[in-house]
Amino acid sequence: YKNLEIIVISKGSGEYLLEIAEDLGAEIILSQPSGLSPAAIKNEGLRKSTGELIAFFESYDINGKMRFEMSVKRFEDNPRSGMVFCGTTFINEDGEFLSGVGKFPKFKGRQFLGHMYERNWISTISSTVFRSEAIQKAGGFDESFKSGENYDLFLRIADLTRVEYIDLPLVRFRIMNNNGFDPVARRELEIKALKKHDPSAIAASISSIYDD
């Protein structure tokens, strides 16, 4: 799939990055000011984009060749959906495969939000594609989050629109020392995101998953 607009947002603009951007037909649109949060960086990319579909991608992950093609097809088949995501494999800092596959358990569109209220099952934002209008309607990334902004957006998107899942590992998620969270810090961020939603709505979504 080649109908792409590529926007690079970087901490710097060295020759190596410029060469890559030129090969991809991309333009570096921001030299990251110190202290700018990941949420603010992604919102900057969102403001600069012109496409009907938006895919955020972390620089350390690897995109599968069929991901965009399959995601676009899923949007075409489901015109009311605002988000599509896929499974992942895991690699280390050297690109070597690690054990396991990141998949969404027993995915059903109606139950997606309930499962996400329980925990964030999406390995990386690199596995997601959104309709730009869905992100705009959700208000973009919440810049009050210093991290954990992806989970917050997933919840708000799922509360507004249908979500589709491609049950194939089409992205390689790179596990590095600086992209993990302390479990306590992770839970605090999840709670912050959950507090933006009505408790009765959370309870109803979770109860729809289980017979009891």
Side-chain angles (χ1 to χ4, degrees), residues 40-191:
I41 293 170
K42 290 167 186 168
N43 281 337
E44 181 68 17
L46 180 61
R47 285 189 288 269
K48 296 289 185 179
S49 66
T50 62
E52 295 180 10
L53 302 177
I54 306 291
F56 295 90
F57 203 80
E58 303 287 0
S59 61
Y60 43 74
D61 294 333
I62 298 177
N63 192 63
K65 293 182 179 180
M66 295 294 292
R67 182 172 78 97
F68 289 135
E69 181 176 349
M70 296 185 73
S71 297
V72 170
K73 180 65 165 56
R74 189 61 62 90
F75 277 119
E76 291 174 345
D77 293 342
N78 300 274
R80 297 176 59 187
S81 297
M83 171 180 164
V84 172
F85 71 103
C86 65
T88 61
T89 52
F90 304 102
I91 56 176
N92 62 19
E93 294 188 11
D94 298 321
E96 300 166 333
F97 281 100
L98 303 173
S99 61
V101 178
K103 302 182 71 175
F104 199 98
K106 301 179 181 178
F107 177 85
K108 292 182 180 179
R110 297 186 306 276
Q111 298 177 350
F112 172 77
L113 185 55
H115 282 297
M116 290 295 286
Y117 279 140
E118 292 183 302
R119 59 166 286 189
N120 181 12
W121 289 96
I122 300 178
S123 302
T124 171
I125 198 168
S126 299
S127 68
T128 62
V129 183
F130 304 88
R131 290 194 193 276
S132 57
E133 62 181 3
I135 293 189
Q136 296 289 353
K137 188 175 181 180
F141 293 89
D142 185 341
E143 296 185 17
S144 71
F145 283 79
K146 293 183 179 179
S147 60
E149 72 284 349
N150 297 336
Y151 178 55
D152 173 63
L153 179 66
F154 298 154
L155 292 179
R156 288 185 285 116
I157 287 282
D159 199 27
L160 293 171
T161 185
R162 291 175 54 179
V163 175
E164 303 292 334
Y165 171 53
I166 301 172
D167 192 23
L168 291 170
L170 302 176
V171 169
R172 300 179 194 176
F173 175 36
R174 194 181 304 269
I175 305 296
M176 302 192 299
N177 291 333
N178 63 357
N179 70 352
F181 289 126
D182 174 87
V184 175
R186 179 191 293 271
R187 188 56 185 160
E188 289 177 351
L189 291 168
E190 290 176 346
I191 291 171

